[in-house]
Amino acid sequence: MATYRVLVVDDSAFMRTIISDLIKQDEQFVIAATAANGVEAVAAVAEHKPDVITMDLEMPILNGIEALQLIMKQTPTPVIMLSGISEDNARDTIKALQYGALDFIRKPSMSKSGDIHQVGEQLLEKLRIAVFAGRSKTGTLPERPKPETAAQTQEPRVKARPKPTDTPLSSATPLHKVKTEPLPEVKRKSAAPKPAEKTAKPESRSTALSSGLPPKQPLVQSSAAQQQAARKASGSGVFKHIVAIGTSTGGPRALHEVICSLPSGFPAPVLVVQHMPPKFTKSLAQRLDSFSALTVVEAEQGMRVNAGVVHVAPGGKHMELGKDAAGYFIRLTDQPQRNGHRPSVDVMFESLLSFSEIERHAVIMTGMGSDGAKGLKALAEGGAATTIAESEETCIVYGMPRAAVECGAAQHILPLHAIAGRLASTILT
């Protein structure tokens, strides 16, 4: 049986011991080294070349986000962040995910009985995902062994325009061998024209990871008449199109790429399900909102659905589209988990089935498992205008998109950097 080497980074010696003991419960993992701060972590990665890293957020000398950025630039390695549950921790965790961390897990509480065991199981599951995402990206986990025992980086101001140039890491990568349908170009609106940029050669996925910058996104050029019509529709409850996006592991970066590439005045609402626990989805929405030309909010019960607004499902709640005499609205429920998740992508997709009066565009992106595949298939068979699965070349984990492709649900299989362009070209023309 193959073994994988883990670097454990935490400023608390006690927590380093706890995390190391949890990891060693699975014989597939060995502790390559431990580090007490970000400086030690960067040095340990260069020396020990671990397969995966667990990284604390708050540390002296060099914090977790700063260390993460250096590691992604120098020696890209899958990183699982360890986070508290405070608002600041949630905000920093989302930032870390966009700068390159694969996933996160909350730190165990020493005061709650059984919490350490629960966090340990979740950590091992995420470590398995991390090592296989880094090696195969197939979204297939190794068999779970039977247990022996039961940055400080400057934030953009909210809605600042033009978009900040300190753009978080994107997993999108224009690849030489990606087969896609040609798309016309679109330019984002900005407050001031940008100087002409040289055309760069397509980057490899590893280059994109290490650069900390996303490649340029091909977006759709719309006519002046189309832009005027879009501006009138944006922000209103009257729309002819709706977009629904589902994602999981690797999703925050993928969402950043797609949402922040949609043009201002986009004449459709966007519904998003990202597998994520409560509190963190609010920080995700706030982070996306600070970079996007669209308004991005965490969805609330009864919230009206408007064009040009992105509604992110709150962690721990299923999100559905509803309709009454006043128009479309958000319905949140506490129904049981679907496919092991709440919110579930399938639940969101299935809620769109009865609304054939609007053009429905559904997208499934990087993530482990198969959530969303059945719902996407039902939408495709129910007359959806567009169903898209992210291609394997740009997926962090090719699990959910693979399930959608294999069941015949995807009309288009596109690399991440082409998804926004496909949506814009379809909706704006």
Side-chain angles (χ1 to χ4, degrees):
M1 180 177 62
T3 57
Y4 302 98
R5 305 169 73 249
V6 184
L7 170 64
V8 176
V9 185
D10 199 293
D11 62 331
S12 164
F14 176 70
M15 190 58 67
R16 290 197 300 274
T17 299
I18 292 293
I19 298 301
S20 297
D21 288 345
L22 291 173
I23 293 171
K24 288 187 288 188
Q25 291 180 13
D26 188 333
E27 294 178 354
Q28 293 178 102
F29 298 104
V30 296
I31 305 302
T34 61
N37 57 59
V39 173
E40 291 183 8
V42 173
V45 171
E47 178 181 355
H48 298 282
K49 296 179 172 55
D51 297 297
V52 61
I53 303 165
T54 67
M55 179 80 71
D56 187 19
L57 271 173
E58 299 176 326
M59 296 183 293
I61 306 178
L62 195 70
N63 66 33
I65 292 179
E66 294 166 333
L68 171 71
Q69 290 177 283
L70 287 175
I71 291 167
M72 287 299 154
K73 182 177 180 180
Q74 298 172 8
T75 316
T77 306
V79 176
I80 306 296
M81 303 300 297
L82 272 72
S83 171
I85 59 174
S86 70
E87 184 175 342
D88 286 343
N89 284 153
R91 184 165 50 246
D92 287 343
T93 298
I94 298 303
K95 188 191 303 181
L97 293 174
Q98 291 184 318
Y99 279 121
L102 182 75
D103 211 333
F104 73 96
I105 190 169
R106 65 176 178 82
K107 282 189 171 183
S109 170
M110 300 297 105
S111 62
K112 294 182 179 179
S113 176
D115 191 61
I116 293 179
H117 177 71
Q118 181 183 6
V119 170
E121 289 185 339
Q122 294 172 355
L123 176 59
L124 289 172
E125 193 75 7
K126 291 180 185 294
L127 288 174
R128 296 185 194 105
I129 293 172
V131 295
F132 276 78
R135 290 171 180 264
S136 67
K137 297 194 297 174
T138 62
T140 302
L141 288 175
E143 182 178 354
R144 184 191 308 223
K146 295 180 180 179
E148 296 179 3
T149 60
Q152 297 175 359
T153 52
Q154 183 65 37
E155 282 291 288
R157 296 177 65 181
V158 174
K159 305 311 292 179
R161 298 294 182 265
K163 295 181 182 64
T165 56
D166 179 22
T167 310
L169 177 67
S170 170
S171 58
T173 307
L175 300 172
H176 291 284
K177 297 183 180 180
V178 173
K179 295 181 179 179
T180 60
E181 302 174 37
L183 293 174
E185 290 226 355
V186 112
K187 295 181 180 179
R188 297 184 198 172
K189 295 178 67 177
S190 60
K194 295 182 180 179
E197 298 178 357
K198 295 182 180 179
T199 301
K201 294 181 179 180
E203 302 172 346
S204 67
R205 182 171 177 272
S206 61
T207 302
L209 280 174
S210 61
S211 69
L213 294 172
K216 305 302 176 186
Q217 304 90 351
L219 297 179
V220 178
Q221 181 68 54
S222 56
S223 69
Q226 290 167 342
Q227 290 177 355
Q228 183 178 4
R231 281 194 296 271
K232 289 181 179 179
S234 180
S236 77
V238 179
F239 46 83
K240 297 180 179 179
H241 301 264
I242 190 166
V243 176
I245 302 174
T247 187
S248 186
T249 307
R253 280 179 288 165
L255 287 170
H256 181 276
E257 175 72 18
V258 174
I259 299 301
C260 298
S261 296
L262 294 173
S264 60
F266 189 64
V270 181
L271 307 182
V272 171
V273 163
Q274 161 71 54
H275 294 160
M276 192 172 278
K279 297 186 179 180
F280 292 91
T281 45
K282 181 177 181 179
S283 293
L284 173 64
Q286 292 173 338
R287 180 76 173 172
L288 290 171
D289 183 68
S290 67
F291 284 96
S292 175
L294 308 184
T295 298
V296 185
V297 298
E298 184 182 48
E300 298 177 2
Q301 176 66 22
M303 179 180 285
R304 289 295 160 182
V305 174
N306 292 323
V309 179
V310 181
H311 304 265
V312 178
K317 299 281 187 180
H318 288 308
M319 181 173 71
E320 301 175 350
L321 182 66
K323 186 180 182 182
D324 58 18
Y328 299 94
F329 65 92
I330 294 293
R331 179 187 294 116
L332 302 179
T333 77
D334 294 313
Q335 294 299 311
Q337 292 184 348
R338 288 275 296 277
N339 308 307
H341 299 286
R342 190 174 60 217
S344 163
V345 183
D346 271 334
V347 170
M348 175 181 65
F349 283 169
E350 290 169 4
S351 75
L352 302 181
L353 288 172
S354 61
F355 300 115
S356 58
E357 70 275 12
I358 50 177
E359 296 290 312
R360 296 153 297 174
H361 309 268
V363 181
I364 193 163
M365 302 193 299
T366 176
M368 182 63 63
S370 62
D371 187 30
K374 291 181 179 178
L376 195 70
K377 177 72 170 176
L379 280 171
E381 294 175 344
T386 310
T387 58
I388 297 173
E390 183 184 352
S391 62
E392 183 175 3
E393 288 86 350
T394 58
C395 274
I396 297 297
V397 179
Y398 189 57
M400 289 162 55
R402 179 181 184 176
V405 170
E406 289 181 347
C407 75
Q411 300 165 357
H412 306 281
I413 304 170
L414 300 174
L416 181 58
H417 60 272
I419 291 174
R422 169 62 60 187
L423 292 171
S425 66
T426 301
I427 292 172
L428 290 172
T429 56

